[in-house]
Amino acid sequence: MMPFERETMISLVLEEIGRLVVAEDVKPAPGAGEVRVRVAVTGICGSDIHGYTGENGRRFPGQVMGHEASGWIDQIGPDSEEFGLSLNQPVTFNPLVVPLDQAENFRGREQHCPDRYVIGVKASIPAAFATHVIIPSRNIVPLGPDVPVEHGALVEPLAVGVHAVRRVMAEPDTRCLVIGGGPIGQAVVLALKMAGVGQIYVSEVDSARRDLVEQLGARALDPLAEPLTTALDALGGPVGVTFDAVGTDSSVADALSTTTRGGRICLVGMGSPAITLNAFRISTDERSLVGSFTYSGQDFLDAAEYVSRASKEMSLLISREVSPAEADSAFRSLAKGDGTPGKVLVRFNA
Ligand SMILES: [Zn+2]
C-alpha cells in the first residue's frame, strides 16, 4: 500500500457536556478571504467553562470552542491581498464576524448586527481550541513585533472591558466600582486605567483575585468582611459608576445600592438570564442601567493597541498555561472554582 502524507492538526472537542477530548483531523485550507492561523495559545473564558458544564446552554457537544487566541498566519487564502498579511506574522483575531454584505451598515456597532456570529460560540464553526483555525482575513488583527504572542490572547477579554467603559462614559474624575474581580472585572479595571480613571474599587470575595486587582492598580474590597456600602462610606460615599461583572440578583442589588443617585450601572456580567431588581432605585433615584455585550471593531483595535504597551499588566493577568492534554482537567478544576485568580491559557504551538 502506498504511504501517503496528509497534514494533520489537533483540536479539543467538547465530546459531551463535562468532557473535552483531544482529536486529530486534517488541516483545513483557507477559502477566499480567509487565512489559517497557527494558534499559539487560546484563553479559557468563563463562558467556555459554563458551556463545558452545560450551565449556559451556549455550547454544544461536538463543538470546538475557543474565541480568545493568538498565533501566526500559517496560510493565506485567495482574495486576501488587500489586508497586507504575511506568512508567520503574529496576530490575534476579532471573533465577532459580521457578514460581508452587512459590514458597512453595522460599522462601529458590529455587535448589533442580527446576523453576526462569534467564532468559538457558533457551534458549527471549528474554533481556536486547536493547533490551527480558519479566520476571515478582515477579522485578523496584527500584533506588533515587540508584543509577547501570548498577550495577543488577552485582547479579546480586554476589548469587553473597553466596550463596557465606553457604554457608561466613565470620565477620569469619576469614582468607579467593579463588582467581581475575575477576568472580566480585571479587564474593566485595565480599561478604566486606559480611560484615565484614577479611583477604582473592586468588590471580590476571593483573596487571590483581590491581590491581583490591587496589582493592577485598583483598591480591593471584601464584601464578606463588611457591606460594600459601609466600605464605600469610609472612602467618600457611593460611586458615580458601577460595573456589574457578575450579573445576578444580588450583584445588581449591590450595584444599585453602591451607585449614587443619577449614577450609571453597566451590566456586563451574564451570571443569570433573568433578574429581579428594585425598580425605585432606577426610577425614583434616576440611576441608569446600561447593558454591554462584546465590543465594536474599534474597541477591539484599541484594546490591541493597549495590550502592545502594557506588557507588565498583561503578564499579571495570566495565571498559568496548560497543554491540550491537560485542558479537560483544567476546565473541570476551573468549573469547581479552584481559586485561579486570572487567565488560564491552553498552549497549542510554541
Ligand atoms: Zn470570552
Side-chain angles (χ1 to χ4, degrees):
M1 208 171 146
M2 279 281 287
F4 66 97
E5 253 188 75
R6 46 175 211 173
E7 281 201 289
T8 59
M9 59 174 277
I10 65 160
S11 48
L12 283 175
V13 179
L14 182 63
E15 185 78 355
E16 58 188 349
I17 293 301
R19 194 161 70 97
L20 283 171
V21 299
V22 178
E24 194 172 347
D25 218 329
V26 180
K27 251 188 225 175
E34 295 178 334
V35 294
R36 187 169 70 206
V37 174
R38 189 166 70 91
V39 176
V41 293
T42 302
I44 302 176
C45 177
S47 67
D48 297 324
I49 301 287
H50 294 134
Y52 173 84
T53 59
E55 279 165 271
N56 64 4
R58 293 179 66 221
R59 303 288 192 277
F60 298 92
Q63 182 171 1
V64 177
M65 309 185 284
H67 60 273
E68 309 175 356
S70 59
W72 304 270
I73 300 284
D74 189 47
Q75 198 178 339
I76 302 175
D79 305 332
S80 289
E81 296 78 10
E82 63 180 294
F83 302 102
L85 301 170
S86 50
L87 287 178
N88 298 316
Q89 182 178 11
V91 297
T92 181
F93 62 86
N94 179 340
L96 192 141
V97 181
V98 174
L100 207 44
D101 61 343
Q102 296 179 47
E104 200 49 56
N105 273 346
F106 288 94
R107 195 170 306 285
R109 54 183 200 101
E110 289 80 0
Q111 73 281 14
H112 295 166
C113 174
D115 297 324
R116 56 123 170 91
Y117 61 89
V118 179
I119 296 168
V121 175
K122 187 174 179 174
S124 58
I125 302 173
F129 282 126
T131 54
H132 299 79
V133 63
I134 301 290
I135 303 293
S137 302
R138 64 186 188 279
N139 284 62
I140 292 289
V141 176
L143 297 172
D146 302 327
V147 180
V149 73
E150 46 288 339
H151 290 184
L154 302 170
V155 173
E156 197 275 348
L158 182 61
V160 172
V162 168
H163 186 61
V165 168
R166 290 176 175 167
R167 287 286 291 148
V168 282
M169 297 170 290
E171 302 290 339
D173 59 351
T174 309
R175 292 165 59 247
C176 292
L177 169 69
V178 182
I179 297 178
I184 292 299
Q186 293 159 23
V188 172
V189 168
L190 289 178
L192 285 168
K193 286 179 69 180
M194 258 174 88
V197 174
Q199 284 183 285
I200 309 166
Y201 311 117
V202 177
S203 165
E204 170 57 47
V205 294
D206 181 84
S207 67
R209 285 185 165 167
R210 285 200 301 276
D211 288 347
L212 175 47
V213 297
E214 294 234 325
Q215 286 178 279
L216 296 176
R219 167 95 179 242
L221 308 173
D222 178 0
L224 301 180
E226 63 178 337
L228 280 176
T229 47
T230 311
L232 287 173
D233 280 344
L235 295 164
V239 297
V241 171
T242 297
F243 296 85
D244 181 353
V246 179
T248 59
D249 281 4
S250 73
S251 65
V252 172
D254 281 345
L256 288 168
S257 65
T258 53
T259 308
T260 189
R261 288 190 174 136
R264 301 185 294 284
I265 294 150
C266 183
L267 182 56
V268 62
M270 296 190 285
S272 179
I275 51 174
T276 301
L277 52 77
N278 182 333
F280 284 0
R281 288 193 183 270
I282 295 175
S283 58
T284 315
D285 296 346
E286 294 195 339
R287 293 182 184 86
S288 306
L289 178 61
V290 174
S292 185
F293 178 68
T294 63
Y295 29 73
S296 69
Q298 191 60 49
D299 296 328
F300 199 95
L301 294 175
D302 294 341
E305 197 277 327
Y306 184 67
V307 164
S308 74
R309 59 187 164 84
S311 184
K312 189 179 130 258
E313 287 87 346
M314 294 305 131
S315 299
L316 290 169
L317 296 183
I318 301 172
S319 289
R320 64 179 188 276
E321 282 187 13
V322 299
S323 70
E326 295 164 327
D328 184 61
S329 72
F331 267 74
R332 203 169 321 118
S333 174
L334 288 166
K336 276 187 220 140
D338 64 0
T340 302
K343 220 13 119 178
V344 179
L345 303 176
V346 183
R347 168 70 69 174
F348 289 97
N349 287 288

